[in-house]
């Protein structure tokens, strides 16, 4: 790299200084504090008390609720994210035509995502799956016995997953942008060679979309892992019924701000950071096997 | 291909059916806000209210916990406006630095920014709370607003992508004409990245308007609560009789979101497609 003058360096840092200061104050120092606190017992009122790895031992060996929250979160992530992406891709392919109605459909499909994170939607969702809600009315109409959605921990988690699938809009838009970049000639050529629709999908669409799938997969996994608002609202902040909706973020929040176990919550946050790091690394590593980059001649 | 699809009614029936399924919950919420509270669940399967009751809106607007709903809206608006101004200006400055200037350590800081982009927010939740409490910022909007003045990695990244698409000959020409870096940023680059600035502003609006965890953590007195907190208060004080009011105010809280969406639809869609913003 070419040498820069002092003046150029100063100018550069002047422009990025908001990020540098913000990073140090709101990210870097907090991460260090979090690491320190994870080895302490701290309730915000007394001084932190060093207890070594006790928090981690307690988390892994004694805290049933912790393991439950890990289980619930993994089910939420591993069921919700693939379902959401499959649905997003399916709809994106449906909308990848030049029909005049497509703009309208795209808007309609995207709307639930734009109002997604709000309390209003979570409240609505809770009521749709209420004992006497619309979903049960529909089940009765179809001759299926109604489900006590919020009496059964698995069913309650199912409603959270359904909410995340319903909000597939942003992934759909990203897929749509990717699909538009695939030249129609590819499909025409394959058609002349006698390729069937499924074959075109698996041999052309999926490989060419794979970098976008990877991107969506990573971003969606990270954000699904941190889901908080729907679980908080739907379970009234407690993860009910029987901790069925006690997602990791919600449990961390409860430990920190309901029980004042700041040290324990910090330890949980660190384990989460490591888990997310490992998951991202696995996705990146395995992506070499299935992500196709045109510019690198296939691999 | 287009003509073929157009003649294909089955396609529109199918795609239209999914569209109705997607919108049904929102329409249900809207319609329920006009039903008398005690009939909402008894008539959950009927979309159209038997008799239109606008009283829910009056009851909701009167507020909850002794606070009028308008108060929550004003509080939310103050937070959204202050935060959005801060995040757009600071992110643009940083993006210009990364996108256009050459300086020692740029790659390192850029990498740190990309890592921050993927960092789970929960990791800094507890220590940030402790820092803000030591600063005496609890029960004020400072912890929610001030961090926005230090740029947001999402928006910085989005703006860098835009800046990179502007030919660098422009910079050279401006420099020859005697423009310093700040004037170059302010006079040349900033007007050219208006679409990115608008996208960032729209998403900042959405995120701050819908934010719940910030207000839950940092606001304790009901007169400072935001719209999200107001809705949550309805939920907490739920007594069967105020369902209608809660639904009505849910609809009110979604109006700005939907209005902004339809006003800036094209911008939003392009912003998502090119950057993958918004989980």
């Amino acid at each position: 790299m070419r040498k820069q003058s002092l003046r150029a360096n100063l100018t550069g840092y002047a422009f990025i200084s908001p990020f540098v200061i913000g990073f140090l104050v709101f990210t870097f120092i907090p991460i260090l504090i979090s690491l320190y606190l994870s080895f302490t017992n701290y309730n915000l009122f007394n001084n932190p008390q060093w207890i070594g790895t006790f928090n981690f031992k307690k988390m892994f060996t004694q805290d049933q609720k912790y393991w439950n929250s890990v289980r619930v979160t993994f089910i939420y992530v591993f069921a919700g994210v693939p379902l959401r992406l499959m649905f997003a891709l399916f709809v994106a392919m449906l909308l990848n035509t030049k029909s005049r109605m497509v703009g309208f459909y795209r808007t309609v499909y995207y709307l639930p995502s734009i109002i997604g994170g709000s309390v209003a939607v979570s409240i609505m969702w809770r009521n749709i799956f209420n004992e006497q809600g619309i979903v049960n009315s529909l089940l009765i109409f179809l001759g299926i016995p109604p489900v006590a959605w919020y009496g059964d921990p698995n069913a309650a988690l199912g409603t959270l997953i359904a909410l995340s699938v319903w909000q597939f809009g942003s992934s759909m838009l990203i897929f749509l942008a990717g699909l538009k970049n695939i030249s129609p000639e590819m499909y025409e050529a394959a058609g002349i060679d006698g390729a069937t629709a499924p074959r075109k999908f698996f041999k052309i669409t999926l490989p060419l979309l794979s970098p976008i799938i990877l991107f969506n997969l990573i971003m969606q996994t990270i954000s699904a892992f941190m889901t908080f608002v729907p679980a908080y609202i739907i379970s009234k902040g407690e993860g009910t019924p029987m901790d069925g909706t006690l997602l990791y973020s919600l449990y961390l929040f409860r430990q920190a701000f309901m029980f004042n176990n700041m040290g324990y919550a910090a330890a949980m946050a660190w384990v989460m950071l490591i888990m997310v790091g490992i998951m991202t690394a696995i996705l990146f590593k395995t992506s070499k096997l299935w992500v196709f980059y045109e510019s690198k001649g296939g691999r | 291909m287009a003509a073929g699809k157009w003649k294909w009614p089955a396609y529109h029936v199918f795609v239209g059916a999914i569209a109705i399924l997607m919108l049904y919950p929102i329409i249900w919420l809207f319609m329920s806000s006009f039903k008398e509270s005690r009939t909402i669940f008894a008539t959950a399967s009927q979309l159209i209210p038997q008799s239109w009751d606008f009283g829910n809106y009056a009851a909701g607007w009167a507020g909850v916990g002794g606070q009028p709903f308008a108060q929550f809206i004003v509080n939310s608006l103050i937070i959204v406006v202050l935060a959005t101004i801060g995040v757009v200006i600071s992110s643009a400055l940083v993006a210009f630095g990364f996108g256009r200037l050459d300086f020692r350590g740029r790659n390192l800081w850029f990498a740190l920014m990309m890592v921050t982009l993927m960092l789970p927010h929960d990791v800094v939740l507890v220590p940030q709370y402790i820092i803000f409490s030591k600063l005496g910022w609890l029960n004020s909007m400072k912890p929610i607003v001030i961090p926005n003045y230090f740029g947001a990695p999402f928006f910085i990244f989005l703006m860098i992508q835009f800046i990179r698409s502007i030919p660098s000959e422009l910079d050279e020409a401006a420099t020859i004409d005697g423009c310093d870096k700040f004037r170059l940023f302010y006079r040349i680059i900033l007007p050219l990245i208006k679409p990115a600035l608008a996208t960032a502003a729209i998403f900042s609006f959405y995120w701050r308007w819908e934010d719940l965890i910030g207000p839950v953590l940092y606001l304790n007195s009901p007169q400072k609560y935001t719209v999200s907190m107001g809705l949550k208060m309805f939920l907490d004080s739920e007594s069967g009789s105020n369902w209608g009011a809660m639904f009505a105010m849910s609809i009110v809280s979604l109006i700005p979101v939907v209005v902004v969406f339809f006003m800036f639809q094209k911008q939003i869609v392009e912003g998502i497609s090119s950057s993958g913003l918004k989980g």
Side-chain angles (χ1 to χ4, degrees), chain B residues 10 39 46 61 80 97 100-102 115-116 147-148 187 213-214:
Chain B
T39 67
Q46 291 168 12
W61 193 254
V80 165
R100 272 303 201 251
L101 301 178
D102 203 7
V115 170
T116 313
N148 289 287
R187 292 287 173 124
I213 199 155

Side-chain angles (χ1 to χ4, degrees), chain B residues 103-217:
Chain B
F103 54 91
R104 191 186 286 267
R106 184 183 70 173
N107 293 343
L108 171 73
W109 285 107
F110 183 75
L112 283 173
M113 193 199 72
M114 294 309 287
V115 170
T116 313
L117 192 66
M118 301 230 271
L119 189 79
H121 183 252
D122 288 20
V123 179
V124 291
L125 198 64
V126 167
Q128 277 188 2
Y129 181 84
I130 293 166
I131 292 172
F132 292 136
S133 90
K134 299 274 182 217
L135 287 172
W137 286 5
L138 294 194
N139 201 20
S140 79
M141 59 174 75
K142 285 180 198 163
I144 304 172
V145 168
I146 290 175
N148 289 287
Y149 283 72
F150 298 90
F154 259 130
F155 300 147
I156 296 171
F157 180 63
L158 174 78
M159 292 175 195
I160 290 175
Q161 297 294 84
F162 262 77
I163 290 175
R164 279 182 181 156
S165 68
I166 302 170
S168 61
E169 286 81 15
L170 263 182
D171 298 26
E172 286 157 23
T175 311
I176 292 165
D177 288 350
C179 242
D180 64 29
K181 293 295 181 199
F182 186 74
R183 277 174 69 100
L184 173 68
F185 164 72
Y186 189 72
R187 292 287 173 124
I188 314 259
I189 300 293
L190 217 46
L192 287 173
I193 61 165
K194 264 188 197 153
L197 301 179
T199 308
I202 293 162
F203 279 100
S204 166
F205 164 82
Y206 281 145
W207 292 344
R208 294 279 75 80
W209 184 263
E210 292 178 347
D211 181 28
L212 178 67
I213 199 155
V216 162
L217 288 185

Side-chain angles (χ1 to χ4, degrees), chain A residues 106-108 110-111 114-115 173, chain B residues 202 205-206 255-266 268-269:
Chain A
R106 195 176 64 180
T107 305
V108 168
Y110 185 55
L111 200 59
I114 208 76
I115 60 174
L173 289 178
Chain B
I202 293 162
F205 164 82
Y206 281 145
I255 290 172
V257 176
V258 174
V259 167
V260 168
F261 176 65
F262 282 106
M263 274 168 65
F264 299 100
Q265 202 192 339
K266 203 164 179 287
I268 293 169
V269 166

Side-chain angles (χ1 to χ4, degrees), chain A residues 9 26 84 94 107 109 249, chain B residues 11 15 104 122 128 265 279:
Chain A
N9 281 332
F26 298 115
R84 180 172 168 157
L94 278 181
T107 305
Y109 291 152
S249 278
Chain B
Y11 171 80
V15 178
R104 191 186 286 267
D122 288 20
Q128 277 188 2
Q265 202 192 339

Side-chain angles (χ1 to χ4, degrees), chain A residues 196-257:
Chain A
T196 56
R199 213 177 146 74
K200 283 182 197 168
F201 175 73
F202 286 108
K203 293 288 171 185
I204 300 175
T205 313
L206 272 190
L208 288 179
L209 272 188
S210 56
I212 296 171
I213 296 175
L214 175 69
F215 174 82
N216 265 340
L217 207 52
I218 289 174
M219 298 314 279
Q220 299 291 325
T221 303
I222 294 174
S223 76
F225 217 84
M226 291 185 286
T227 303
F228 175 79
V229 172
Y232 182 71
I233 292 297
I234 286 174
S235 72
K236 290 187 186 174
E238 289 168 5
T240 48
M242 288 155 71
D243 300 330
T245 56
L246 191 68
L247 293 183
Y248 202 100
S249 278
L250 182 54
Y251 189 47
L252 192 157
F253 173 88
R254 286 182 66 77
Q255 282 293 347
F257 304 106

Side-chain angles (χ1 to χ4, degrees), chain A residues 154-165:
Chain A
N154 293 323
L157 183 60
T159 67
L160 279 185
I161 293 171
L163 177 57
S164 92
V165 175

